[in-house]
Structures are given as structure tokens and as C-alpha cells.
Amino acid sequence: MRILIIYFSMSGRTKKVVETIFEGLKGHDVQIERIEYPMKARNIISNQEKILNGDLSDFTYNKIIENLAPYDLIFFGNPVYGGRQPAIFDGYLTKAQNINGKKFVIFCTCRFLAGKTLELMQTEIEKKGGIVANKRVFKGFFRIKMTKAQNFAQELSQELL
Ligand SMILES: Cc1cc2nc3c(=O)[nH]c(=O)nc-3n(C[C@H](O)[C@H](O)[C@H](O)COP(=O)(O)O)c2cc1C
């Protein structure tokens, strides 16, 4: 099974969760791809319309992630911005190809409230024909407990792999 983990992380909290999940999936064929943004997080909010429409020119990422055909399971992780996912998630889905029939695991990191983030992400994936197999919020005001990410990886190994 080929697994792709795509994530967006500004201050590194989502990155840490991804690295912990990756450790927990050792022995599987897992590729990690980070989407980076060189500006401040608030610019994502002010440029929301452009990003939602699939203009990702301000972001840097490996173009390989635009075609999901080679993968059996796709993880997408991002922070919560204003009770929802950052526009990059929606913008990415606008660009990505071969989502139909693919299984996804979605997760987000936040400090206090995730709001409807995962539900909104799931709806967008389902609109494109994808299937959300599992999802998780990683919450922590000062820090996210990495045991939660370890447990999630273990759960996924038993359920999906
Ligand atoms: C613009 C902005 C909006 C945010 N909105 C929320 C929010 O609605 N709820 C919440 O719990 N945390 C919120 N946060 C905190 C981030 O979701 C949290 O710190 C996240 O883990 C950061 O992930 P990263 O380090 O991978 O960038 C916000 C942070 C920023 C920069």
C-alpha cells in the first residue's frame, strides 16, 4: 500500500504530529510532502478567495502531490484557522487529480477549538468522490501531546493497513 502524507504547517505543530505519525507507520511505504507558505498566516486569510480558487502560486510544494493516482491512502493535515481549515486545503483539492475513490485520513491541530474543521474538510473530499476513512483533532494550548499522534498511528495501522 502506498501512502502519501500531505501537510501544511506554519509554526511546526502540525509538522511534529506528521513526524510522529510517520514514525508509527514505519515499515509501510510512506511519502511525506509539505506545503510551504513564505508569508505570514494572516495573508492566507486575506488572500482566501484566490487560494480557494486553486491559485496556489504563493505556496511551494512538490508538484507530485497534484496527482493522487499512485497512492492508496492519502493523509492531509493542517492547522485550524478561525474555526476552519486554511484555504490551502480547499485550493489544493481544486488542483489535485484522481481524488475519486481514494481513501483519506484527515487531521488538524489547534490550540483551543477546532470548530467544524474536520467536517468541512470531509465534505470537500466527498464532493470530489474521496472517502474519509479516519479523522482526528490534535488539540493543545501550549503543546500537543505526541502520545495522541502515536496512538492514532497505531490505530490506523490496525484498521487500515
Ligand atoms: C490565523 C490563525 C488562526 C487561528 N485560529 C484558531 C482557531 O480558530 N482555533 C484554535 O484552536 N486555534 C487557532 N489557531 C492556532 C493554530 O490552529 C494552532 O496553533 C496550530 O496548531 C498551528 O499549527 P502549525 O504550527 O502547524 O502552523 C490559529 C492560528 C492562526 C495563526
Side-chain angles (χ1 to χ4, degrees):
M1 176 179 276
R2 284 191 78 183
I3 303 169
L4 175 66
I5 306 181
I6 306 167
Y7 73 100
F8 174 67
S9 181
M10 288 296 284
S11 67
R13 286 159 52 97
T14 309
K15 177 174 189 271
K16 213 168 157 206
V17 168
V18 165
E19 286 168 351
T20 306
I21 292 174
F22 178 72
E23 275 295 304
L25 298 179
K26 247 190 188 147
H28 297 284
D29 180 2
V30 187
Q31 180 179 345
I32 298 184
E33 293 296 340
R34 180 176 183 166
I35 299 177
E36 299 200 56
Y37 190 66
M39 292 175 255
K40 298 236 184 286
R42 64 171 178 272
N43 288 313
I44 294 184
I45 295 167
S46 50
N47 287 320
Q48 190 141 286
E49 275 314 305
K50 168 182 161 182
I51 302 165
L52 290 174
N53 289 328
D55 181 347
L56 307 188
S57 53
D58 294 335
F59 295 84
T60 47
Y61 59 91
N62 186 347
K63 294 285 177 282
I64 207 163
I65 66 170
E66 289 184 359
N67 179 17
L68 297 179
Y71 306 98
D72 305 298
L73 183 64
I74 301 106
F75 287 60
F76 199 109
N78 50 222
V80 173
Y81 284 173
R84 54 161 296 138
Q85 71 275 22
I88 179 62
F89 173 79
D90 306 68
Y92 166 70
L93 281 193
T94 305
K95 268 208 126 68
Q97 275 142 36
N98 301 305
I99 296 176
N100 195 33
K102 293 289 176 191
K103 263 192 191 169
F104 284 80
V105 171
I106 50 174
F107 58 94
C108 62
T109 66
C110 68
R111 289 192 190 271
F112 43 95
L113 273 178
K116 291 204 181 308
T117 303
L118 293 180
E119 287 86 340
L120 293 167
M121 290 170 75
Q122 179 163 358
T123 302
E124 290 309 310
I125 286 171
E126 288 172 352
K127 272 191 213 161
K128 308 262 168 181
I131 302 142
V132 174
N134 210 326
K135 53 188 173 184
R136 191 64 42 99
V137 174
F138 294 97
K139 185 162 47 171
F141 192 78
F142 294 111
R143 60 162 60 185
I144 294 166
K145 285 201 181 104
M146 284 306 130
T147 47
K148 291 181 186 169
Q150 283 161 357
N151 294 342
F152 189 47
Q154 200 177 5
E155 203 181 294
L156 293 170
S157 291
Q158 284 159 4
E159 273 176 22
L160 301 171
L161 309 175

